[in-house]
Amino acid sequence: MKTLLISKERTLDIVETERPVRKEGEALLKLIRGGICGSDLGTYRGTFAYSSFPRIPGHEFAAEIVDIDPAAASATGLRKGQLVTANPYFNCGHCYSCARGLLNCCEHNETLGAQRDGAFREYITLPAERIYDGQGLDPGLLTLIEPFCIAYHGAITRGKASEGDTVLVIGAGTIGVLAAVAAKSCGAAVYICDVAKSKVDYALKNFDLDGGFVSENPESFKAECDRLSEGRGFDVAVEAVGLPSTFRNCIDAAAFGGRVVLIGIGKKNLDFNFTLIQKKELNVLGSRNALKQDFLTLIELVKSGQVKIDRAITAVYPYEKAAEAFHEFDVNGAAHLRLQLDFTA
């Protein structure tokens, strides 16, 4: 079968690998659509904290069940021919986090496309318990469910954004935009900022947010935060970039008693006066991956039509042109949210 492989920095090839054989408890999936995540791009660039070379990328996808263990099918209700997506975060089942049910932040987590080889191949096998019925969503929308889960888990499950809150999302990439959509769906007043004007403009035009601005420097950032929050700061500040400066921006933007949620992933250190956290009595929360319930909730939410996320897809490439798609995302990232690969060609 055809498999996408990142062998070294900025080098992606299509190689031949053996088609996997389904084991007990598993389903054999034929990939239909895959989304290129920021972490896939980080792997491609050699900058992602959780990955190494060589690596098969990909962890957000829609696939068709080709074969499934009969016992697993009976237990899950899944069947051949269904369009599905899956939870790509593999937990060890033995660490302290797993023992407490915090499977998303397993101490030994291995995510498809990051710590272990991913989904960007014609066929993949997965445990049936990780696979979720797509409820009739089209492949593009179903592929967006996983990044929507990351965003929702941060803004809602962790940040508890709710009706009456003011929320600032820093970073207008896919995760930031979807975090804003999640918070907006719960009745919050939501604002977004980014260093790229094109991304802010796209988010405001397509996702029904309450406002946004371009973060040009610390002075203009503070002035805009004061203006939009009437000097109070934001109830929830979501970091969706992964830079020291944007995390510090969240600390500064949060209201006294507010909540700061870190979704972004980075490798750099931050030196700042941490007493500000004590002074403001901030709740500073990390957010990693997502839970099964996040997937089930969001599949139903998108199916209901209560939220519109389709415009997060800004380009679709046939998988044979994956190298071109990765290069485009690498050099023109500000022009895109989610690039997807079509595996049906």
Side-chain angles (χ1 to χ4, degrees), residues 273-316:
N273 183 0
F274 61 84
T275 301
L276 188 58
I277 296 174
Q278 180 272 336
K279 180 180 179 181
K280 285 187 169 185
E281 197 180 56
L282 295 178
N283 298 280
V284 180
L285 305 157
S287 180
R288 187 176 187 187
N289 298 334
L291 294 164
K292 176 180 180 178
Q293 190 55 52
D294 296 320
F295 282 85
L296 300 181
T297 296
L298 294 186
I299 289 171
E300 290 292 341
L301 184 63
V302 174
K303 178 185 176 183
S304 74
Q306 295 178 51
V307 297
K308 303 291 185 182
I309 61 172
D310 58 299
R311 291 187 178 178
I313 304 169
T314 50
V316 180

mmCIF file of all heavy atoms in Angstrom, residues 273-316:
data_model
loop_
_atom_site.group_PDB
_atom_site.id
_atom_site.type_symbol
_atom_site.label_atom_id
_atom_site.label_comp_id
_atom_site.label_asym_id
_atom_site.label_seq_id
_atom_site.Cartn_x
_atom_site.Cartn_y
_atom_site.Cartn_z
ATOM 1 N N ASN A 273 7.824 37.573 35.641
ATOM 2 C CA ASN A 273 7.522 37.761 37.067
ATOM 3 C C ASN A 273 6.286 36.951 37.420
ATOM 4 O O ASN A 273 5.162 37.405 37.267
ATOM 5 C CB ASN A 273 7.306 39.251 37.355
ATOM 6 C CG ASN A 273 7.066 39.513 38.835
ATOM 7 O OD1 ASN A 273 7.058 38.583 39.642
ATOM 8 N ND2 ASN A 273 6.878 40.767 39.185
ATOM 9 N N PHE A 274 6.504 35.735 37.908
ATOM 10 C CA PHE A 274 5.394 34.808 38.163
ATOM 11 C C PHE A 274 4.478 35.269 39.288
ATOM 12 O O PHE A 274 3.389 34.736 39.462
ATOM 13 C CB PHE A 274 5.934 33.405 38.470
ATOM 14 C CG PHE A 274 6.811 33.332 39.688
ATOM 15 C CD1 PHE A 274 6.263 33.194 40.948
ATOM 16 C CD2 PHE A 274 8.195 33.405 39.557
ATOM 17 C CE1 PHE A 274 7.073 33.122 42.067
ATOM 18 C CE2 PHE A 274 9.006 33.347 40.682
ATOM 19 C CZ PHE A 274 8.447 33.208 41.940
ATOM 20 N N THR A 275 4.900 36.270 40.064
ATOM 21 C CA THR A 275 4.040 36.764 41.137
ATOM 22 C C THR A 275 2.733 37.331 40.599
ATOM 23 O O THR A 275 1.742 37.442 41.325
ATOM 24 C CB THR A 275 4.797 37.815 41.976
ATOM 25 O OG1 THR A 275 5.967 37.198 42.523
ATOM 26 C CG2 THR A 275 3.941 38.343 43.129
ATOM 27 N N LEU A 276 2.733 37.678 39.320
ATOM 28 C CA LEU A 276 1.496 38.170 38.712
ATOM 29 C C LEU A 276 0.392 37.114 38.793
ATOM 30 O O LEU A 276 -0.793 37.452 38.922
ATOM 31 C CB LEU A 276 1.757 38.558 37.256
ATOM 32 C CG LEU A 276 0.628 39.274 36.510
ATOM 33 C CD1 LEU A 276 0.237 40.566 37.225
ATOM 34 C CD2 LEU A 276 1.038 39.561 35.071
ATOM 35 N N ILE A 277 0.765 35.842 38.737
ATOM 36 C CA ILE A 277 -0.225 34.773 38.875
ATOM 37 C C ILE A 277 -0.840 34.808 40.263
ATOM 38 O O ILE A 277 -2.060 34.684 40.434
ATOM 39 C CB ILE A 277 0.429 33.398 38.605
ATOM 40 C CG1 ILE A 277 0.912 33.327 37.154
ATOM 41 C CG2 ILE A 277 -0.546 32.258 38.901
ATOM 42 C CD1 ILE A 277 1.710 32.068 36.835
ATOM 43 N N GLN A 278 -0.004 35.002 41.268
ATOM 44 C CA GLN A 278 -0.505 35.109 42.651
ATOM 45 C C GLN A 278 -1.322 36.378 42.841
ATOM 46 O O GLN A 278 -2.412 36.355 43.443
ATOM 47 C CB GLN A 278 0.689 35.078 43.619
ATOM 48 C CG GLN A 278 0.313 35.187 45.088
ATOM 49 C CD GLN A 278 0.210 36.642 45.576
ATOM 50 O OE1 GLN A 278 0.816 37.558 44.998
ATOM 51 N NE2 GLN A 278 -0.574 36.837 46.621
ATOM 52 N N LYS A 279 -0.828 37.478 42.307
ATOM 53 C CA LYS A 279 -1.506 38.758 42.477
ATOM 54 C C LYS A 279 -2.908 38.729 41.897
ATOM 55 O O LYS A 279 -3.865 39.226 42.506
ATOM 56 C CB LYS A 279 -0.681 39.867 41.806
ATOM 57 C CG LYS A 279 -1.308 41.258 41.915
ATOM 58 C CD LYS A 279 -0.417 42.285 41.218
ATOM 59 C CE LYS A 279 -1.028 43.683 41.292
ATOM 60 N NZ LYS A 279 -0.182 44.691 40.609
ATOM 61 N N LYS A 280 -3.046 38.126 40.725
ATOM 62 C CA LYS A 280 -4.354 38.050 40.072
ATOM 63 C C LYS A 280 -5.186 36.848 40.528
ATOM 64 O O LYS A 280 -6.345 36.718 40.153
ATOM 65 C CB LYS A 280 -4.175 37.964 38.550
ATOM 66 C CG LYS A 280 -3.782 39.258 37.869
ATOM 67 C CD LYS A 280 -3.815 39.061 36.347
ATOM 68 C CE LYS A 280 -3.690 40.348 35.581
ATOM 69 N NZ LYS A 280 -3.838 40.142 34.124
ATOM 70 N N GLU A 281 -4.593 35.979 41.317
ATOM 71 C CA GLU A 281 -5.200 34.697 41.695
ATOM 72 C C GLU A 281 -5.732 33.991 40.443
ATOM 73 O O GLU A 281 -6.897 33.601 40.347
ATOM 74 C CB GLU A 281 -6.318 34.855 42.729
ATOM 75 C CG GLU A 281 -6.634 33.524 43.415
ATOM 76 C CD GLU A 281 -7.728 33.612 44.455
ATOM 77 O OE1 GLU A 281 -8.839 34.065 44.106
ATOM 78 O OE2 GLU A 281 -7.472 33.207 45.600
ATOM 79 N N LEU A 282 -4.823 33.799 39.501
ATOM 80 C CA LEU A 282 -5.196 33.166 38.244
ATOM 81 C C LEU A 282 -5.271 31.652 38.382
ATOM 82 O O LEU A 282 -4.543 31.044 39.156
ATOM 83 C CB LEU A 282 -4.174 33.506 37.158
ATOM 84 C CG LEU A 282 -4.076 34.970 36.736
ATOM 85 C CD1 LEU A 282 -2.976 35.139 35.692
ATOM 86 C CD2 LEU A 282 -5.403 35.470 36.189
ATOM 87 N N ASN A 283 -6.147 31.068 37.601
ATOM 88 C CA ASN A 283 -6.187 29.622 37.426
ATOM 89 C C ASN A 283 -5.485 29.325 36.110
ATOM 90 O O ASN A 283 -6.014 29.630 35.041
ATOM 91 C CB ASN A 283 -7.637 29.138 37.373
ATOM 92 C CG ASN A 283 -8.388 29.426 38.652
ATOM 93 O OD1 ASN A 283 -8.257 28.711 39.635
ATOM 94 N ND2 ASN A 283 -9.178 30.499 38.650
ATOM 95 N N VAL A 284 -4.296 28.758 36.181
ATOM 96 C CA VAL A 284 -3.506 28.470 34.992
ATOM 97 C C VAL A 284 -3.611 26.976 34.707
ATOM 98 O O VAL A 284 -3.223 26.145 35.527
ATOM 99 C CB VAL A 284 -2.038 28.888 35.173
ATOM 100 C CG1 VAL A 284 -1.233 28.585 33.909
ATOM 101 C CG2 VAL A 284 -1.957 30.376 35.507
ATOM 102 N N LEU A 285 -4.148 26.641 33.537
ATOM 103 C CA LEU A 285 -4.511 25.268 33.219
ATOM 104 C C LEU A 285 -3.832 24.792 31.951
ATOM 105 O O LEU A 285 -3.875 25.469 30.922
ATOM 106 C CB LEU A 285 -6.036 25.157 33.036
ATOM 107 C CG LEU A 285 -6.878 25.655 34.213
ATOM 108 C CD1 LEU A 285 -8.265 26.036 33.737
ATOM 109 C CD2 LEU A 285 -6.951 24.590 35.290
ATOM 110 N N GLY A 286 -3.221 23.632 32.007
ATOM 111 C CA GLY A 286 -2.746 22.982 30.801
ATOM 112 C C GLY A 286 -3.884 22.200 30.178
ATOM 113 O O GLY A 286 -4.813 21.766 30.859
ATOM 114 N N SER A 287 -3.818 22.011 28.867
ATOM 115 C CA SER A 287 -4.834 21.220 28.178
ATOM 116 C C SER A 287 -4.133 20.342 27.154
ATOM 117 O O SER A 287 -3.480 20.851 26.240
ATOM 118 C CB SER A 287 -5.855 22.118 27.497
ATOM 119 O OG SER A 287 -6.834 21.350 26.831
ATOM 120 N N ARG A 288 -4.282 19.026 27.327
ATOM 121 C CA ARG A 288 -3.606 18.103 26.419
ATOM 122 C C ARG A 288 -4.601 17.105 25.833
ATOM 123 O O ARG A 288 -5.392 16.490 26.551
ATOM 124 C CB ARG A 288 -2.504 17.340 27.159
ATOM 125 C CG ARG A 288 -1.652 16.495 26.228
ATOM 126 C CD ARG A 288 -0.519 15.818 26.947
ATOM 127 N NE ARG A 288 0.365 15.165 25.980
ATOM 128 C CZ ARG A 288 1.379 14.378 26.307
ATOM 129 N NH1 ARG A 288 1.658 14.156 27.576
ATOM 130 N NH2 ARG A 288 2.122 13.817 25.373
ATOM 131 N N ASN A 289 -4.578 16.988 24.518
ATOM 132 C CA ASN A 289 -5.395 15.993 23.826
ATOM 133 C C ASN A 289 -6.882 16.183 24.126
ATOM 134 O O ASN A 289 -7.341 17.300 24.321
ATOM 135 C CB ASN A 289 -4.923 14.583 24.180
ATOM 136 C CG ASN A 289 -3.499 14.323 23.747
ATOM 137 O OD1 ASN A 289 -3.014 14.936 22.810
ATOM 138 N ND2 ASN A 289 -2.811 13.424 24.436
ATOM 139 N N ALA A 290 -7.640 15.106 24.174
ATOM 140 C CA ALA A 290 -9.076 15.172 24.419
ATOM 141 C C ALA A 290 -9.549 13.808 24.915
ATOM 142 O O ALA A 290 -8.787 12.836 24.915
ATOM 143 C CB ALA A 290 -9.824 15.567 23.140
ATOM 144 N N LEU A 291 -10.784 13.744 25.336
ATOM 145 C CA LEU A 291 -11.366 12.520 25.875
ATOM 146 C C LEU A 291 -12.445 11.977 24.943
ATOM 147 O O LEU A 291 -12.971 12.699 24.092
ATOM 148 C CB LEU A 291 -11.970 12.804 27.257
ATOM 149 C CG LEU A 291 -10.963 13.175 28.348
ATOM 150 C CD1 LEU A 291 -11.677 13.812 29.530
ATOM 151 C CD2 LEU A 291 -10.167 11.950 28.793
ATOM 152 N N LYS A 292 -12.792 10.717 25.140
ATOM 153 C CA LYS A 292 -13.831 10.092 24.316
ATOM 154 C C LYS A 292 -15.098 10.928 24.315
ATOM 155 O O LYS A 292 -15.723 11.124 23.258
ATOM 156 C CB LYS A 292 -14.128 8.686 24.845
ATOM 157 C CG LYS A 292 -15.269 7.989 24.116
ATOM 158 C CD LYS A 292 -15.517 6.589 24.678
ATOM 159 C CE LYS A 292 -16.660 5.893 23.942
ATOM 160 N NZ LYS A 292 -16.883 4.516 24.452
ATOM 161 N N GLN A 293 -15.481 11.451 25.481
ATOM 162 C CA GLN A 293 -16.715 12.219 25.552
ATOM 163 C C GLN A 293 -16.656 13.481 24.708
ATOM 164 O O GLN A 293 -17.667 13.925 24.151
ATOM 165 C CB GLN A 293 -17.053 12.573 27.002
ATOM 166 C CG GLN A 293 -18.437 13.172 27.185
ATOM 167 C CD GLN A 293 -19.533 12.268 26.624
ATOM 168 O OE1 GLN A 293 -19.604 11.080 26.955
ATOM 169 N NE2 GLN A 293 -20.385 12.815 25.762
ATOM 170 N N ASP A 294 -15.460 14.080 24.589
ATOM 171 C CA ASP A 294 -15.311 15.246 23.712
ATOM 172 C C ASP A 294 -15.646 14.869 22.269
ATOM 173 O O ASP A 294 -16.354 15.602 21.569
ATOM 174 C CB ASP A 294 -13.886 15.799 23.785
ATOM 175 C CG ASP A 294 -13.512 16.334 25.158
ATOM 176 O OD1 ASP A 294 -14.361 16.973 25.793
ATOM 177 O OD2 ASP A 294 -12.368 16.111 25.589
ATOM 178 N N PHE A 295 -15.146 13.725 21.817
ATOM 179 C CA PHE A 295 -15.431 13.276 20.452
ATOM 180 C C PHE A 295 -16.929 13.054 20.240
ATOM 181 O O PHE A 295 -17.515 13.530 19.266
ATOM 182 C CB PHE A 295 -14.672 11.977 20.147
ATOM 183 C CG PHE A 295 -13.227 12.160 19.835
ATOM 184 C CD1 PHE A 295 -12.283 12.224 20.845
ATOM 185 C CD2 PHE A 295 -12.796 12.260 18.514
ATOM 186 C CE1 PHE A 295 -10.935 12.386 20.555
ATOM 187 C CE2 PHE A 295 -11.451 12.421 18.212
ATOM 188 C CZ PHE A 295 -10.513 12.490 19.238
ATOM 189 N N LEU A 296 -17.552 12.327 21.160
ATOM 190 C CA LEU A 296 -18.972 12.015 21.013
ATOM 191 C C LEU A 296 -19.822 13.280 21.043
ATOM 192 O O LEU A 296 -20.768 13.434 20.262
ATOM 193 C CB LEU A 296 -19.407 11.045 22.111
ATOM 194 C CG LEU A 296 -18.679 9.698 22.139
ATOM 195 C CD1 LEU A 296 -19.221 8.824 23.262
ATOM 196 C CD2 LEU A 296 -18.774 8.986 20.798
ATOM 197 N N THR A 297 -19.482 14.206 21.946
ATOM 198 C CA THR A 297 -20.226 15.457 22.060
ATOM 199 C C THR A 297 -20.135 16.272 20.776
ATOM 200 O O THR A 297 -21.140 16.801 20.282
ATOM 201 C CB THR A 297 -19.699 16.287 23.243
ATOM 202 O OG1 THR A 297 -19.946 15.577 24.465
ATOM 203 C CG2 THR A 297 -20.380 17.658 23.315
ATOM 204 N N LEU A 298 -18.938 16.365 20.222
ATOM 205 C CA LEU A 298 -18.743 17.246 19.071
ATOM 206 C C LEU A 298 -19.250 16.640 17.774
ATOM 207 O O LEU A 298 -19.694 17.376 16.889
ATOM 208 C CB LEU A 298 -17.273 17.633 18.958
ATOM 209 C CG LEU A 298 -16.777 18.494 20.127
ATOM 210 C CD1 LEU A 298 -15.361 18.961 19.891
ATOM 211 C CD2 LEU A 298 -17.685 19.690 20.370
ATOM 212 N N ILE A 299 -19.211 15.332 17.639
ATOM 213 C CA ILE A 299 -19.835 14.722 16.469
ATOM 214 C C ILE A 299 -21.315 15.066 16.448
ATOM 215 O O ILE A 299 -21.880 15.455 15.410
ATOM 216 C CB ILE A 299 -19.608 13.195 16.463
ATOM 217 C CG1 ILE A 299 -18.145 12.879 16.154
ATOM 218 C CG2 ILE A 299 -20.509 12.521 15.422
ATOM 219 C CD1 ILE A 299 -17.769 11.422 16.333
ATOM 220 N N GLU A 300 -21.959 14.961 17.591
ATOM 221 C CA GLU A 300 -23.388 15.298 17.682
ATOM 222 C C GLU A 300 -23.617 16.789 17.472
ATOM 223 O O GLU A 300 -24.582 17.193 16.810
ATOM 224 C CB GLU A 300 -23.945 14.867 19.045
ATOM 225 C CG GLU A 300 -24.056 13.372 19.228
ATOM 226 C CD GLU A 300 -25.126 12.746 18.332
ATOM 227 O OE1 GLU A 300 -26.006 13.473 17.838
ATOM 228 O OE2 GLU A 300 -25.048 11.516 18.116
ATOM 229 N N LEU A 301 -22.734 17.629 18.030
ATOM 230 C CA LEU A 301 -22.899 19.079 17.904
ATOM 231 C C LEU A 301 -22.765 19.520 16.449
ATOM 232 O O LEU A 301 -23.581 20.315 15.953
ATOM 233 C CB LEU A 301 -21.851 19.797 18.764
ATOM 234 C CG LEU A 301 -21.945 21.323 18.813
ATOM 235 C CD1 LEU A 301 -23.259 21.778 19.436
ATOM 236 C CD2 LEU A 301 -20.758 21.898 19.591
ATOM 237 N N VAL A 302 -21.780 19.004 15.747
ATOM 238 C CA VAL A 302 -21.600 19.359 14.332
ATOM 239 C C VAL A 302 -22.745 18.796 13.499
ATOM 240 O O VAL A 302 -23.275 19.472 12.602
ATOM 241 C CB VAL A 302 -20.237 18.866 13.827
ATOM 242 C CG1 VAL A 302 -20.107 19.104 12.318
ATOM 243 C CG2 VAL A 302 -19.111 19.578 14.562
ATOM 244 N N LYS A 303 -23.164 17.583 13.798
ATOM 245 C CA LYS A 303 -24.284 16.972 13.081
ATOM 246 C C LYS A 303 -25.557 17.800 13.234
ATOM 247 O O LYS A 303 -26.348 17.930 12.283
ATOM 248 C CB LYS A 303 -24.519 15.556 13.603
ATOM 249 C CG LYS A 303 -25.696 14.839 12.955
ATOM 250 C CD LYS A 303 -25.928 13.484 13.610
ATOM 251 C CE LYS A 303 -27.154 12.793 13.037
ATOM 252 N NZ LYS A 303 -27.436 11.504 13.718
ATOM 253 N N SER A 304 -25.760 18.397 14.408
ATOM 254 C CA SER A 304 -26.976 19.172 14.674
ATOM 255 C C SER A 304 -27.041 20.463 13.874
ATOM 256 O O SER A 304 -28.110 21.065 13.750
ATOM 257 C CB SER A 304 -27.053 19.507 16.164
ATOM 258 O OG SER A 304 -26.116 20.521 16.515
ATOM 259 N N GLY A 305 -25.904 20.914 13.370
ATOM 260 C CA GLY A 305 -25.862 22.168 12.629
ATOM 261 C C GLY A 305 -25.773 23.397 13.509
ATOM 262 O O GLY A 305 -25.802 24.528 13.014
ATOM 263 N N GLN A 306 -25.618 23.199 14.823
ATOM 264 C CA GLN A 306 -25.545 24.339 15.738
ATOM 265 C C GLN A 306 -24.238 25.110 15.599
ATOM 266 O O GLN A 306 -24.172 26.282 15.973
ATOM 267 C CB GLN A 306 -25.695 23.860 17.177
ATOM 268 C CG GLN A 306 -27.056 23.259 17.489
ATOM 269 C CD GLN A 306 -27.132 22.766 18.921
ATOM 270 O OE1 GLN A 306 -26.815 23.486 19.862
ATOM 271 N NE2 GLN A 306 -27.537 21.520 19.093
ATOM 272 N N VAL A 307 -23.201 24.451 15.113
ATOM 273 C CA VAL A 307 -21.941 25.138 14.837
ATOM 274 C C VAL A 307 -21.528 24.837 13.399
ATOM 275 O O VAL A 307 -21.818 23.766 12.875
ATOM 276 C CB VAL A 307 -20.810 24.703 15.802
ATOM 277 C CG1 VAL A 307 -21.150 25.071 17.234
ATOM 278 C CG2 VAL A 307 -20.526 23.218 15.681
ATOM 279 N N LYS A 308 -20.866 25.796 12.789
ATOM 280 C CA LYS A 308 -20.389 25.651 11.418
ATOM 281 C C LYS A 308 -18.866 25.709 11.433
ATOM 282 O O LYS A 308 -18.283 26.737 11.802
ATOM 283 C CB LYS A 308 -20.940 26.762 10.529
ATOM 284 C CG LYS A 308 -22.470 26.846 10.505
ATOM 285 C CD LYS A 308 -23.096 25.659 9.807
ATOM 286 C CE LYS A 308 -24.603 25.819 9.679
ATOM 287 N NZ LYS A 308 -25.245 24.641 9.043
ATOM 288 N N ILE A 309 -18.220 24.611 11.065
ATOM 289 C CA ILE A 309 -16.764 24.576 11.097
ATOM 290 C C ILE A 309 -16.153 24.252 9.740
ATOM 291 O O ILE A 309 -14.942 24.179 9.603
ATOM 292 C CB ILE A 309 -16.254 23.562 12.143
ATOM 293 C CG1 ILE A 309 -16.722 22.143 11.807
ATOM 294 C CG2 ILE A 309 -16.692 23.962 13.547
ATOM 295 C CD1 ILE A 309 -16.107 21.070 12.684
ATOM 296 N N ASP A 310 -16.990 24.100 8.713
ATOM 297 C CA ASP A 310 -16.487 23.663 7.416
ATOM 298 C C ASP A 310 -15.482 24.633 6.807
ATOM 299 O O ASP A 310 -14.584 24.223 6.059
ATOM 300 C CB ASP A 310 -17.650 23.429 6.445
ATOM 301 C CG ASP A 310 -18.514 24.665 6.254
ATOM 302 O OD1 ASP A 310 -19.088 25.138 7.258
ATOM 303 O OD2 ASP A 310 -18.625 25.152 5.112
ATOM 304 N N ARG A 311 -15.602 25.927 7.142
ATOM 305 C CA ARG A 311 -14.691 26.905 6.551
ATOM 306 C C ARG A 311 -13.301 26.877 7.185
ATOM 307 O O ARG A 311 -12.426 27.654 6.795
ATOM 308 C CB ARG A 311 -15.307 28.306 6.618
ATOM 309 C CG ARG A 311 -16.509 28.430 5.690
ATOM 310 C CD ARG A 311 -17.052 29.831 5.604
ATOM 311 N NE ARG A 311 -18.173 29.885 4.673
ATOM 312 C CZ ARG A 311 -18.872 30.985 4.418
ATOM 313 N NH1 ARG A 311 -18.570 32.127 5.020
ATOM 314 N NH2 ARG A 311 -19.883 30.953 3.556
ATOM 315 N N ALA A 312 -13.112 25.977 8.136
ATOM 316 C CA ALA A 312 -11.755 25.742 8.626
ATOM 317 C C ALA A 312 -10.930 24.968 7.602
ATOM 318 O O ALA A 312 -9.707 24.910 7.700
ATOM 319 C CB ALA A 312 -11.787 24.992 9.953
ATOM 320 N N ILE A 313 -11.602 24.372 6.622
ATOM 321 C CA ILE A 313 -10.893 23.675 5.537
ATOM 322 C C ILE A 313 -10.595 24.697 4.445
ATOM 323 O O ILE A 313 -11.509 25.227 3.816
ATOM 324 C CB ILE A 313 -11.741 22.534 4.954
ATOM 325 C CG1 ILE A 313 -12.174 21.550 6.047
ATOM 326 C CG2 ILE A 313 -10.966 21.801 3.861
ATOM 327 C CD1 ILE A 313 -13.232 20.563 5.590
ATOM 328 N N THR A 314 -9.314 24.978 4.224
ATOM 329 C CA THR A 314 -8.977 26.004 3.239
ATOM 330 C C THR A 314 -8.378 25.438 1.955
ATOM 331 O O THR A 314 -8.229 26.159 0.968
ATOM 332 C CB THR A 314 -7.997 27.033 3.846
ATOM 333 O OG1 THR A 314 -6.911 26.340 4.461
ATOM 334 C CG2 THR A 314 -8.709 27.884 4.892
ATOM 335 N N ALA A 315 -8.038 24.144 1.954
ATOM 336 C CA ALA A 315 -7.550 23.516 0.723
ATOM 337 C C ALA A 315 -7.603 21.997 0.880
ATOM 338 O O ALA A 315 -7.425 21.478 1.978
ATOM 339 C CB ALA A 315 -6.120 23.946 0.393
ATOM 340 N N VAL A 316 -7.858 21.301 -0.246
ATOM 341 C CA VAL A 316 -7.853 19.836 -0.265
ATOM 342 C C VAL A 316 -6.964 19.387 -1.419
ATOM 343 O O VAL A 316 -7.144 19.808 -2.563
ATOM 344 C CB VAL A 316 -9.275 19.255 -0.440
ATOM 345 C CG1 VAL A 316 -9.212 17.726 -0.464
ATOM 346 C CG2 VAL A 316 -10.204 19.739 0.681
#
